Amino acid sequence: MKVFAEIISKMLNQSLRNGIFPDELKIAITRPIFKKGDPYDPKNYRPISILPIIEKVFETYVVRHLRKYLEDNLIINSKQYGFQRGKNTEQLLNTVNDYINTNMDKGRYTIAVFIDFVKAFDTIDHALLLKKLEACGIIGKELKWIKSYLENRCHIVKVCNEHSEPKPCDFGVPQGRILGPIFFLIYVNDLPKVIEKCVLYMFADDAVLLYAHSNIQVCQAVIQSEFNNVIEWTHGTQRLLQ
């Protein structure tokens, strides 16, 4: 065991020192897991990526330092409750419940818009993610390592004993790994900045817009305007990449 630990430690140190993530660790076996509904509809299956175990060792080390950097510098928005130490769904539900009850006691209407970013982890644009990482202060060899981690990935779909041909993964972050959620939090971290009047709370790829007012028409108009800002944000990727 000690011999293996020394070898893996040497591989990790060399990888970080050179800013290169080995291509051999980027090949994922994707297994479609049935969720519900029509079993003949591909949309009713959740893809689970199985990656080499050594990759998890690499990621665990990087995540520990990346998470500490994000926490020490208060980079992740406080309205984000997903994948955050000390935060959970119960706390978020209590926060939303308190907002509604407080405004109800004041005679105000509250409108909520619930948002679910479909296939959010699978559609992350690598170039935009790298720009957002750089904006967070992640530069140099660290950014180079992450770029290397993201590029040249491929996956093979396995159903029973049948395998597909390898296909490139040009978008998204690997699911079932610990780096993916951190990258996603950074990717959506600037979303609350487009909200002016409403309250926005997030739990990973789910979000809720809240607004309260004594006039229901005003309430409807404001939350529609803010929701339009969210839509504009989701379609702003190409402009940011130019």
Side-chain angles (χ1 to χ4, degrees):
M1 183 63 70
K2 182 179 179 180
V3 174
F4 285 114
E6 291 177 352
I7 294 174
I8 294 174
S9 176
K10 184 177 180 179
M11 291 172 56
L12 174 59
N13 289 329
Q14 185 174 358
S15 172
L16 295 171
R17 185 165 49 248
N18 297 329
I20 298 174
F21 189 85
D23 285 347
E24 292 79 5
L25 301 182
K26 301 176 185 178
I27 303 173
I29 303 297
T30 301
R31 299 291 301 268
I33 305 300
F34 181 66
K35 295 188 294 183
K36 61 180 179 179
D38 183 1
Y40 294 98
D41 187 347
K43 295 180 181 179
N44 292 330
Y45 287 81
R46 179 184 181 87
I48 301 297
S49 295
I50 303 172
L51 290 156
I53 189 64
I54 295 179
E55 187 194 35
K56 187 173 182 179
V57 177
F58 279 44
E59 288 194 31
T60 300
Y61 180 86
V62 172
V63 163
R64 186 189 308 123
H65 290 274
L66 179 57
R67 188 186 294 277
K68 185 177 186 305
Y69 172 80
L70 296 174
E71 292 176 351
D72 289 348
N73 293 278
L74 303 177
I75 291 175
I76 300 300
N77 196 287
S78 61
K79 298 298 192 295
Q80 175 64 258
Y81 281 71
F83 307 115
Q84 295 292 287
R85 287 188 288 198
K87 291 186 175 182
N88 53 46
T89 52
E90 183 177 355
Q91 290 176 326
L92 178 55
L93 288 172
N94 289 336
T95 300
V96 172
N97 188 57
D98 289 344
Y99 180 91
I100 296 173
N101 287 335
T102 298
N103 283 285
M104 186 181 298
D105 293 340
K106 295 179 180 178
R108 297 171 181 168
Y109 299 97
T110 298
I111 294 181
V113 174
F114 295 90
I115 304 166
D116 180 9
F117 295 103
V118 179
K119 298 188 181 298
F121 282 64
D122 297 329
T123 55
I124 287 180
D125 185 284
H126 293 170
L128 182 54
L129 172 60
L130 291 170
K131 281 182 175 289
K132 293 189 175 187
L133 285 162
E134 190 173 9
C136 292
I138 301 170
I139 57 176
K141 287 188 296 185
E142 289 77 12
L143 187 64
K144 180 183 177 183
W145 188 91
I146 293 174
K147 182 176 183 296
S148 176
Y149 170 87
L150 294 170
E151 64 188 9
N152 298 329
R153 286 190 169 270
C154 69
H155 68 103
I156 299 171
V157 177
K158 180 180 180 181
V159 178
C160 296
N161 293 320
E162 299 294 327
H163 294 77
S164 72
E165 293 295 323
K167 298 293 182 181
C169 302
D170 298 325
F171 285 84
V173 292
Q175 295 193 40
R177 288 309 196 193
I178 50 182
L179 259 179
I182 301 296
F183 286 157
F184 183 79
L185 295 190
I186 295 172
Y187 196 77
V188 300
N189 197 48
D190 58 343
L191 175 56
K193 295 180 180 179
V194 307
I195 305 302
E196 299 174 355
K197 297 181 180 179
C198 289
V199 176
L200 174 73
Y201 294 108
M202 297 183 291
F203 194 93
D205 55 349
D206 293 309
V208 58
L209 270 176
L210 295 164
Y211 188 72
H213 198 278
S214 57
N215 186 311
I216 188 66
Q217 283 77 28
V218 171
C219 200
Q220 291 172 333
V222 170
I223 203 153
Q224 180 63 61
S225 176
E226 295 284 57
F227 183 62
N228 291 342
N229 290 338
V230 174
I231 295 175
E232 179 71 14
W233 175 85
T234 62
H235 292 295
T237 299
Q238 291 303 318
R239 292 194 299 277
L240 289 171
L241 290 174
Q242 292 175 353

